[in-house]
Amino acid sequence: MDYYSRQISRLIEELSSLPGIGSKSAQRLAFHILNMPVEHVEKLSSAILEARKKVRYCQSCYTLTDDELCPICKNTKRDHKTIMVVEDTRDLAAYEKTNKYEGVYHVLHGAISPMLGIGPGDIKLKELIQRLQEDVDEVIIATNSSLEGETTAMYISKLIKPTGIKVSRIASGVPVGGDLEYIDEMTLLRALEGRTEL
Ligand code: ZN
C-alpha cells in the first residue's frame, strides 16, 4: 500500500486486522474516519480504549462486564441455583433478549476443539466446576450445535454427572452449526423449554 502515506497505510492496516474487515472495507473506514470531525474521532477512540481497559470478567459467571459482578449475578431475584452454560457473552445476550430465562449463566469463552487445539483448559471450565460447590440444582448446557459445541456439551455432562447435579441440554431445534446469536427468540425459547436431561 505504498500509494498511501504512512499514517493512512497504518490506519488501514490496523482496521483490516479486525474480523470481517477486508482490505476494501478497511480503506473505506479509514477514509471515513479521516473525514470525521476530530472530536468525533476522539470519542470513538476513547470508547474503544475505555471499554478495553475497563471491561473484565464477572467474578462469578465470567461474562464481560465493567464491575466485579455482572448485573445478572448481582440480581437477587434471579434463580442462582440454575446455571446456563453458553459459549460467549453474545449467546448470553441472545437468551436475555427472550426475557423468559430466570436463572444465571456461565460463559465459557469458547468451545473445545481438538482441530483448533482448544482443550478443556483453554475455556472457563474449571471455573464452572468450582461454582458447583455452591448450591446448584441444574446446569443447562446451551453450547452451539456445532461439532465443537456438542463435544463441549458431552465433556461437561461427563464432568458433572458424578456430582448428582441435574444436567440438561437445550433441544436440537437450533440448526446445526447455528450461531445462537442469530437465532430468533422463539426458537431459543423452544430449545430451552424442550431441553432434555443428559
Ligand atoms: Zn455474572
Side-chain angles (χ1 to χ4, degrees):
M1 253 177 257
D2 294 318
Y3 35 90
Y4 291 134
S5 75
R6 204 174 58 82
Q7 292 300 343
I8 300 174
S9 296
R10 192 182 149 209
L11 180 58
I12 294 171
E13 208 180 294
E14 290 299 331
L15 289 167
S16 58
S17 72
L18 298 171
I21 310 281
S23 95
K24 264 192 185 163
S25 303
Q27 291 183 50
R28 194 168 46 81
L29 284 171
F31 285 103
H32 179 81
I33 291 168
L34 291 173
N35 279 313
M36 275 160 56
V38 173
E39 311 83 69
H40 192 166
V41 179
E42 272 167 354
K43 254 168 110 180
L44 174 68
S45 60
S46 92
I48 295 173
L49 200 61
E50 293 290 296
R52 180 59 189 89
K53 279 185 177 164
K54 291 197 176 137
V55 171
R56 49 182 162 157
Y57 293 134
C58 166
Q59 291 291 293
S60 179
C61 73
Y62 290 86
T63 193
L64 293 171
T65 184
D66 39 21
D67 225 336
E68 203 155 300
L69 283 177
C70 74
I72 299 167
C73 288
K74 255 191 229 162
N75 188 343
T76 51
K77 287 187 187 124
R78 305 284 295 224
D79 168 15
H80 288 257
K81 291 182 178 183
T82 303
I83 300 176
M84 188 195 289
V85 180
V86 292
E87 289 184 22
D88 61 39
T89 295
R90 289 169 306 165
D91 294 336
L92 176 155
Y95 274 101
E96 277 305 282
K97 261 193 256 162
T98 67
N99 254 319
K100 289 273 161 45
Y101 176 66
E102 278 161 5
V104 291
Y105 296 89
H106 187 86
V107 183
L108 293 172
H109 293 283
I112 297 170
S113 171
M115 259 178 35
L116 297 173
I118 301 169
D122 300 315
I123 56 176
K124 303 281 177 206
L125 209 54
K126 59 170 197 309
E127 290 81 355
L128 171 67
I129 303 306
Q130 243 157 37
R131 279 179 82 185
L132 302 180
Q133 313 281 331
E134 296 156 29
D135 196 6
V136 176
D137 286 340
E138 183 181 0
V139 174
I140 303 168
I141 306 173
T143 50
N144 294 351
S145 52
S146 59
L147 178 62
E148 292 78 17
E150 293 299 346
T151 307
T152 309
M154 290 284 282
Y155 190 90
I156 296 175
S157 84
K158 274 192 196 143
L159 274 181
I160 300 180
K161 268 284 174 75
T163 65
I165 295 168
K166 184 178 169 190
V167 195
S168 57
R169 175 84 173 111
I170 54 162
S172 52
V174 180
V176 172
D179 229 323
L180 279 186
E181 202 196 344
Y182 297 110
I183 292 159
D184 70 89
E185 288 147 39
M186 271 317 291
T187 311
L188 276 186
L189 266 184
R190 270 202 298 271
L192 179 59
E193 277 159 9
R195 68 185 183 270
T196 44
E197 200 169 336
L198 292 174

